[in-house]
Amino acid sequence: MRRRAEERLTVQYSVTRVLAESRTLEEAVPKIVQAVGQNLEWDYGVFWRVDKTEGALRCIDQWPHPSTGFEAFSTVTWSSVVRSGEGLPGRIWATERPAWVTDVTVDEPSPRAEQARAAGLRGAFGFPVRVGSEVEGVIELFSRQTRQPDDELLKMIDDICLKMGQLGERSRTEEALRQTEAQLQQAQKMEAVGRLAGGVAHDFNNLLTVIRGYSELLLARLQPNDSMRKDMEEVKKAADRASGLTRQLLAFSRRQFIAPKLVDLNALVVNMDGMLRRLLGEDIIDLCAELAPNIGAIRADPGQMEQVIMNLAVNARDAMPKGGRLTIETRNVTVGKGPRKDAVGVEAGVYVQLTVRDTGHGMDAETRSHLFEPFFTTKEKGKGTGLGLSTVYGIVRQSNGTIVVESVPGQGTVFKIYFPLVSEDRPGASGPGETSDPAHGRETILLVEDEPAVRGLVHETLRLHGYTVLEARHGIEALMTVAKHSGPIHLLLTDVVMPQMSGPEVAEKLRSIRPETKVLYMSGYPDHPVFEQGGVSRETSFLPKPFTPVVLAKKVREVLDGVNA
């Protein structure tokens, strides 16, 4: 009795030391198996880890290693995949309780029984490794002797399990904190890059407004058979493509103009089904939609949500060149407070979760750390712009969502997007569609724009549509022009962000002396503070850059006529 008590004290001391020195279960458990086996006369040990992706137990360590004398048993154990309820480890996983087998060669109908008999193994004992409320693994011990249940051993194992659970909780908390810190650093880096991208995109918007605008004006003057027409059409096409890249940069930097409304993600995914199947190639990619019924609504731009799904689908397709499965899932989720293995970085609350899962080649940690950076791509040169996933990131953030990526090389990738659930009633049909071509007018318009090329284009467009145009380079010059002009000013068309005086400030001063004047703002800055201050309505009195002459003339006519006011 004294010898056995000393052995158990030795085991407890060894286990306590191992747990104090270890940071993870994977690091601690093999040493614990060895300590228990050596001091309590067990001859062989196995550590099974729960593979949550496969829903099975897989062997990740054995003792002794190399397993001299147990080669056949060791080999079949390494290759075994144990489901819940199967064999001794499967029963322990299912019941979450320790279990004894007096003689595995007689009492255990296991696929490994023949190899155990050949190796001379008889008695077996196992117990679950639990972290919190979840079983994370199973420890299995074997002896060359038959073994009877031992209450003292069970008490010691209960203490070991408790300490291993505390290590697991500590490890899980530290990992969650590490991931949160890494996400914060990544978010700060992305914010800095986003500000740069947004500033570049804004400057390009002014240039593209001029290039596209004058292209259209010149095309309108050229006859269909003019030899210059084809060249000018190519210029306009190039500007249109550049405009698309600019929109992607604005989406990444969360400065894109959006029209948010209540969106049913299920309906949106169903409507995209045919388009996605054609895009993916039904003979190569198996598209599967698992849409939970009665999911909540989210507030987002429907077109942007389609772009998110499309970009993720294209990315998944490229990760599965030899075929595979793409799964799109939706469901309502509640994220609780405190450290979490899933949804790291997501605030506590109720969300609609959109998941896009593929069975492709997956990514390592280094690739994941750069995944959403603009112009970062793993594709060969000339095969991608590197803006697809950065656009997804920007759209998700602009829609108050959070995106989380899980990926392991060779095991596919999972994108989980959390959108705050909106409890408002769903809206009816959208507003009226586009109206007919813009009509000309004879009104007087005060144009205020600090960029000379844009100002020249707008002036020329309005003049061609019959308007009288008063031109000013900035707010002070605009007020001086108003003071000199004795006739009516029907519309103020002004840039939002200008030196000396902003567009809304110009409008406020002008309306104090000419309250009948209507106002139309134009800008490449959708996130300017004026939008939050109620001074500008994006829906009724705003024109985003870049715009074409046709769009400009149409919007001017709408504001003058009070359409959608």
Side-chain angles (χ1 to χ4, degrees):
M1 289 291 292
R2 179 179 177 181
R3 176 172 160 275
R4 295 184 66 183
E6 290 175 348
E7 289 174 346
R8 286 173 181 164
L9 283 173
T10 301
V11 170
Q12 289 176 320
Y13 171 76
S14 299
V15 168
T16 300
R17 186 182 62 194
V18 166
L19 291 172
E21 295 173 350
S22 302
R23 298 186 62 184
T24 65
L25 284 175
E26 283 78 6
E27 183 182 347
V29 170
K31 298 175 183 177
I32 292 173
V33 172
Q34 180 177 353
V36 174
Q38 286 179 337
N39 291 284
L40 298 182
E41 298 178 353
W42 292 89
D43 298 296
Y44 201 78
V46 181
F47 178 32
W48 300 88
R49 198 72 157 92
V50 175
D51 184 337
K52 294 181 180 179
T53 303
E54 294 292 330
L57 291 171
R58 292 185 180 276
C59 172
I60 67 168
D61 197 84
Q62 299 186 51
W63 170 82
H65 190 74
S67 51
T68 305
F70 304 105
E71 288 83 357
F73 184 75
S74 174
T75 299
V76 74
T77 299
W78 280 120
S79 61
S80 294
V81 178
V82 179
R83 306 291 176 182
S84 179
E86 295 178 353
L88 179 61
R91 291 205 313 274
I92 295 170
W93 184 23
T95 62
E96 302 185 8
R97 297 176 61 84
W100 287 85
V101 177
T102 302
D103 189 341
V104 294
T105 63
V106 176
D107 304 329
E108 179 68 7
S110 165
R112 296 183 295 153
E114 186 62 34
Q115 286 79 8
R117 183 182 296 108
L121 297 175
R122 305 292 295 276
F125 168 65
F127 55 93
V129 177
R130 185 183 289 104
V131 177
S133 60
E134 300 180 17
V135 173
E136 296 285 346
V138 170
I139 292 176
E140 197 178 27
L141 296 167
F142 293 89
S143 172
R144 288 191 172 93
Q145 309 296 323
T146 58
R147 301 289 287 259
Q148 298 295 329
D150 184 334
D151 291 339
E152 289 297 320
L153 176 60
L154 285 175
K155 290 179 181 178
M156 185 184 71
I157 292 300
D158 282 342
D159 180 62
I160 292 175
C161 288
L162 177 63
K163 292 177 179 177
M164 283 194 297
Q166 291 171 345
L167 171 64
E169 289 281 13
R170 186 174 73 244
S171 174
R172 181 179 292 181
T173 301
E174 289 175 353
E175 176 64 15
L177 290 173
R178 187 193 66 77
Q179 290 189 30
T180 300
E181 182 180 0
Q183 287 191 351
L184 176 60
Q185 292 175 347
Q186 179 73 357
Q188 290 172 338
K189 178 173 69 174
M190 298 292 281
E191 186 66 28
V193 176
R195 284 196 296 270
L196 174 62
V200 170
H202 172 260
D203 290 340
F204 266 91
N205 272 341
N206 276 333
L207 296 173
L208 291 171
T209 297
V210 175
I211 297 171
R212 295 175 71 195
Y214 278 114
S215 297
E216 286 199 5
L217 290 180
L218 287 172
L219 284 170
R221 295 169 183 171
L222 295 174
Q223 296 299 319
N225 58 351
D226 194 304
S227 60
M228 294 292 294
R229 186 173 187 86
K230 184 177 180 181
D231 295 338
M232 188 52 58
E233 286 175 344
E234 289 302 318
V235 172
K236 182 177 180 299
K237 288 178 183 177
D240 289 340
R241 289 194 295 271
S243 180
L245 289 174
T246 304
R247 282 195 299 272
Q248 287 182 299
L249 283 173
L250 284 171
F252 164 71
S253 63
R254 305 198 295 279
R255 291 182 173 184
Q256 190 178 26
F257 294 93
I258 62 173
K261 57 183 67 175
L262 294 186
V263 175
D264 181 344
L265 281 180
N266 280 359
L268 188 139
V269 172
V270 169
N271 289 337
M272 293 183 67
D273 183 81
M275 178 172 56
L276 287 173
R277 292 185 187 279
R278 288 191 296 273
L279 174 72
L280 299 171
E282 292 183 87
D283 57 330
I284 300 176
I285 305 296
D286 179 19
L287 177 62
C288 178
E290 299 179 3
L291 310 179
N294 303 317
I295 66 164
I298 67 172
R299 181 168 292 281
D301 184 308
Q304 285 196 333
M305 292 302 101
E306 290 180 352
Q307 188 176 0
V308 165
I309 295 172
M310 187 70 66
N311 286 9
L312 291 177
V314 169
N315 195 67
R317 180 198 64 189
D318 294 341
M320 300 183 288
K322 296 182 180 179
R325 167 170 287 200
L326 174 65
T327 305
I328 301 176
E329 306 170 6
T330 62
R331 62 183 183 128
N332 295 326
V333 297
T334 300
V335 177
K337 296 182 179 179
R340 300 178 294 272
K341 286 186 66 177
D342 299 326
V344 174
V346 182
E347 295 292 331
V350 183
Y351 297 87
V352 176
Q353 184 187 76
L354 171 67
T355 302
V356 179
R357 184 190 313 271
D358 69 61
T359 57
H361 47 61
M363 296 174 284
D364 56 23
E366 175 65 17
T367 301
R368 291 198 308 273
S369 69
H370 299 287
L371 194 60
F372 296 120
E373 295 175 8
F375 306 114
F376 173 79
T377 178
T378 58
K379 299 173 185 175
E380 58 186 273
K381 190 174 182 179
K383 291 295 181 68
T385 63
L387 288 173
L389 291 179
S390 62
T391 300
V392 168
Y393 176 87
I395 290 173
V396 170
R397 297 300 297 158
Q398 193 173 21
S399 303
N400 297 316
T402 304
I403 184 167
V404 177
V405 185
E406 300 171 3
S407 187
V408 176
Q411 297 184 25
T413 300
V414 181
F415 288 90
K416 294 181 179 179
I417 306 176
Y418 297 82
F419 293 108
L421 186 146
V422 179
S423 58
E424 302 173 35
D425 293 333
R426 298 179 184 274
S430 59
E434 293 189 2
T435 59
S436 59
D437 290 340
H440 288 53
R442 296 182 177 276
E443 291 92 341
T444 298
I445 299 175
L446 173 60
L447 167 63
V448 189
E449 166 63 61
D450 62 310
E451 180 63 38
V454 176
R455 190 170 66 249
L457 170 68
V458 175
H459 190 155
E460 179 67 5
T461 300
L462 296 176
R463 185 189 66 79
L464 290 173
H465 282 79
Y467 298 102
T468 298
V469 182
L470 306 176
E471 190 176 303
R473 295 170 296 176
H474 47 72
I476 295 176
E477 188 172 271
L479 296 177
M480 293 174 61
T481 301
V482 171
K484 295 177 183 178
H485 183 73
S486 58
I489 296 178
H490 301 91
L491 176 70
L492 168 65
L493 175 58
T494 178
D495 195 13
V496 171
V497 182
M498 297 183 295
Q500 301 181 19
M501 192 181 299
S502 72
E505 288 175 323
V506 175
E508 182 181 6
K509 294 183 182 300
L510 175 60
R511 279 183 156 174
S512 67
I513 55 177
R514 295 190 180 228
E516 74 284 356
T517 301
K518 296 180 179 179
V519 180
L520 173 59
Y521 295 100
M522 53 185 174
S523 179
Y525 279 117
D527 61 345
H528 192 272
V530 69
F531 296 113
E532 308 303 325
Q533 296 165 3
V536 179
S537 168
R538 292 190 186 96
E539 288 74 29
T540 60
S541 59
F542 182 73
L543 183 63
K545 296 177 182 177
F547 50 77
T548 64
V550 172
V551 172
L552 168 64
K554 176 183 173 183
K555 190 66 179 180
V556 165
R557 192 68 260 163
E558 285 180 355
V559 175
L560 286 170
D561 293 341
V563 177
N564 295 327

